[in-house]
């Protein structure tokens, strides 16, 4: 399966997007979603754009939808992740938009704040399961309490652990995955087993991965590293105790050789191979990398919890895709009919088969828990799903020259924690100031 956004995406097109999507983007007509029969009596073709990284999962749902009725046919166009924002912006500017887009939830905000998506609030409110939707993803499709999209597939970070290594080290995972003290004690005990075992592993030269698996430790402490509303945001790095303690934890594990030396240069190309080989005790990742791609034997000795904060609490990165209907869509009614189908439980409950997590907490039925035990934690902890609402996420976290990876590497590998936090604060503030509307 293709690696996700965190390993590959490097978008810097904020300025370019502003040029492609001036405020006049709102001149495209908006569908009347309150019209009688909207999303129910549609016919014709629906053009759906999806991210190339998620096309396999999308096609599964599209095929099921097309087979379920004969009035509407959905046609899928995959777009390379690195080109998605620019291509969609170009289509909107030219007035020739797809009917519905499967878009990285982080990038939803870029278009919502340019008034490019249809207000779906009445439709979302009518969903009988709206309160079960992933709150972190829904927040990324919401502005001023109006919903301009719905979560579709989730891609959550979590902490996976090797139960066999925990048992050999005489540790109880429940006791040693609750806070940083427990994590460090477990990493030391597992590292002491020898035979090439390590307590922890992370690809330390992959910007997107570090944003995906390191930040939730901070959010679990209720200490966001971006504060303020879009338009008036600033970084919270230098004086953020949770950021400091998170970097300190990683620095200690690196300094004590509890992490493989390869973590220094790990760029995501072999993300999780060491954990799947059974040589790592604790591994922050997603379901696809840690479990779906593992052998059946390895899955049998894998456990999972959400990522803890320094003193407890838990959080997960609310990654994944949202479904949004661009203004000017020719078949918005058919688009919503498909979106509603995609959110039904039969489709949601099967998402882990393709490496993703449902966006509905009520998908965690007994049958689901039995079939996908390693894909349950994000649903049970769905209240802890979060990602920052900002127009500058890619600049801050995903690009290889972003300030987050720079601060992490300076603190963890170079040992200059104070310098990393001070420079990180400056860089966050500079980028956020440039990214304001």
């Amino acid at each position: 399966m293709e690696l996700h956004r965190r390993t590959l995406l490097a978008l810097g097109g904020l300025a370019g997007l502003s040029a492609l999507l001036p405020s006049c983007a709102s001149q495209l007509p908006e569908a009347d979603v309150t019209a009688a029969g909207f999303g129910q009596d549609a016919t014709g073709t629906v053009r759906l754009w999806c991210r190339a990284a998620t096309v396999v999962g999308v096609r599964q749902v599209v095929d099921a939808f097309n087979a379920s009725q004969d009035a509407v046919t959905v046609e899928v166009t995959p777009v390379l992740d690195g080109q998605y924002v620019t291509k969609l912006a170009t289509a909107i500017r030219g007035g020739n938009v797809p009917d519905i887009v499967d878009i990285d939830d982080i990038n939803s905000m870029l278009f919502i704040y340019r008034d490019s998506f249809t207000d779906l609030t009445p439709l979302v409110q009518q969903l009988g399961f709206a309160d079960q939707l992933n709150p972190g993803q829904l927040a990324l499709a919401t502005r001023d309490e109006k919903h301009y999209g719905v979560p579709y597939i989730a891609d959550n970070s979590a902490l996976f652990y090797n139960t066999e290594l925990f048992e050999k080290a005489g540790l109880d995972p429940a006791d040693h995955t609750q806070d940083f003290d427990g994590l460090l004690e477990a990493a030391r005990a597992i590292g002491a087993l020898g035979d090439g075992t390590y307590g922890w592993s992370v690809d330390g030269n992959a910007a997107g991965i570090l944003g995906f698996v390191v930040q939730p430790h901070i959010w679990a402490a209720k200490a966001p590293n971006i504060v303020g509303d879009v338009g008036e945001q600033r970084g919270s790095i230098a004086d953020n105790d949770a950021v400091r303690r998170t970097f300190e934890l990683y620095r200690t594990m690196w300094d004590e050789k509890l992490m493989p030396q390869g973590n220094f240069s790990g760029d995501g190309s072999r993300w999780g191979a060491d954990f799947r080989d059974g040589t790592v005790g604790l591994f922050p990742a997603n379901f696809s990398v840690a479990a779906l791609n593992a052998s059946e034997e390895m899955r049998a000795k894998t456990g999972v919890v959400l990522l803890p904060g320094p003193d407890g609490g838990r959080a997960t990165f609310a990654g994944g895709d949202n479904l949004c209907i661009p203004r000017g869509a020719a078949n918005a009614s058919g688009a919503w009919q498909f979106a509603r189908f995609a959110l039904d439980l039969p489709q949601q409950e099967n998402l882990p088969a393709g490496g993703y997590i449902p966006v509905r907490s009520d998908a965690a039925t007994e049958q689901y828990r039995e079939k996908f035990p390693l894909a349950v934690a994000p649903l049970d902890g769905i209240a802890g799903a979060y990602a920052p609402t900002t127009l500058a996420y890619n600049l801050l976290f995903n690009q290889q020259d972003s300030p987050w990876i720079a601060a992490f590497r300076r603190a963890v590998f170079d040992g200059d924690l104070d310098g990393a936090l001070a420079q990180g604060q400056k860089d966050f503030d500079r980028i956020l100031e440039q990214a304001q509307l």
Side-chain angles (χ1 to χ4, degrees), residues 173-374:
D175 292 336
H176 287 84
T177 59
Q178 294 185 16
D179 55 29
F180 283 7
D181 286 345
L183 295 181
L184 185 56
E185 183 177 343
R188 285 169 170 163
I190 292 171
L193 293 175
D195 296 326
T197 61
Y198 291 91
W200 191 279
S201 182
V202 71
D203 273 23
N205 197 34
I209 290 176
L210 295 179
F212 183 60
V213 304
V214 177
Q215 288 189 97
H217 291 301
I218 298 157
W219 303 334
K222 310 299 182 185
N225 45 354
I226 299 174
V227 295
D229 296 328
V230 172
E232 299 179 346
Q233 289 183 320
R234 60 180 178 81
S236 176
I237 305 295
D239 297 324
N240 191 320
D241 183 63
V243 174
R244 174 178 288 275
R245 293 176 65 185
T246 299
F247 285 178
E248 285 178 338
L249 173 67
Y250 269 93
R251 173 59 186 176
T252 299
M253 291 192 293
W254 177 253
D255 197 43
E256 295 184 10
K257 297 180 173 53
L258 304 178
M259 297 160 58
Q261 188 67 28
N263 281 179
F264 179 85
S265 57
D267 60 3
S269 59
R270 288 181 49 78
W271 188 26
D274 49 5
F275 180 77
R276 295 190 298 270
D277 286 342
T279 61
V280 170
L282 292 153
F283 176 55
N286 63 7
F287 170 78
S288 176
V289 169
L292 186 69
N293 293 340
S295 66
E296 184 175 347
E297 179 185 6
M298 185 61 213
R299 285 196 294 270
K301 54 185 179 183
T302 297
V304 59
V305 295
L306 296 191
L307 290 152
D311 298 312
R314 298 204 182 272
T316 176
F317 193 107
D321 288 7
N322 288 333
L323 289 176
C324 303
I325 300 176
R327 295 178 68 116
N331 195 353
S333 179
W336 179 251
Q337 188 168 326
F338 168 75
R340 183 63 182 79
F341 178 88
L343 289 173
D344 284 342
L345 282 179
Q347 285 67 250
Q348 287 290 306
E349 290 174 350
N350 195 47
L351 285 176
Y356 296 96
I357 304 295
V359 299
R360 294 177 53 172
S361 60
D362 58 344
T365 61
E366 289 304 316
Q367 181 180 1
Y368 176 94
R369 292 171 185 275
E370 182 177 348
K371 187 175 182 180
F372 302 113
L374 298 178

Side-chain angles (χ1 to χ4, degrees), residues 14-34:
L14 198 61
L17 183 66
S18 297
L20 285 169
L21 288 179
S23 58
C24 63
S26 62
Q27 291 179 358
L28 289 177
E30 185 175 34
D32 181 5
V33 301
T34 63

Side-chain angles (χ1 to χ4, degrees), residues 20-21 28 49 85-98:
L20 285 169
L21 288 179
L28 289 177
W49 282 15
V85 169
T86 300
K87 285 197 170 185
L88 180 56
T90 301
I92 292 171
R93 184 176 177 85
N96 183 21
V97 299

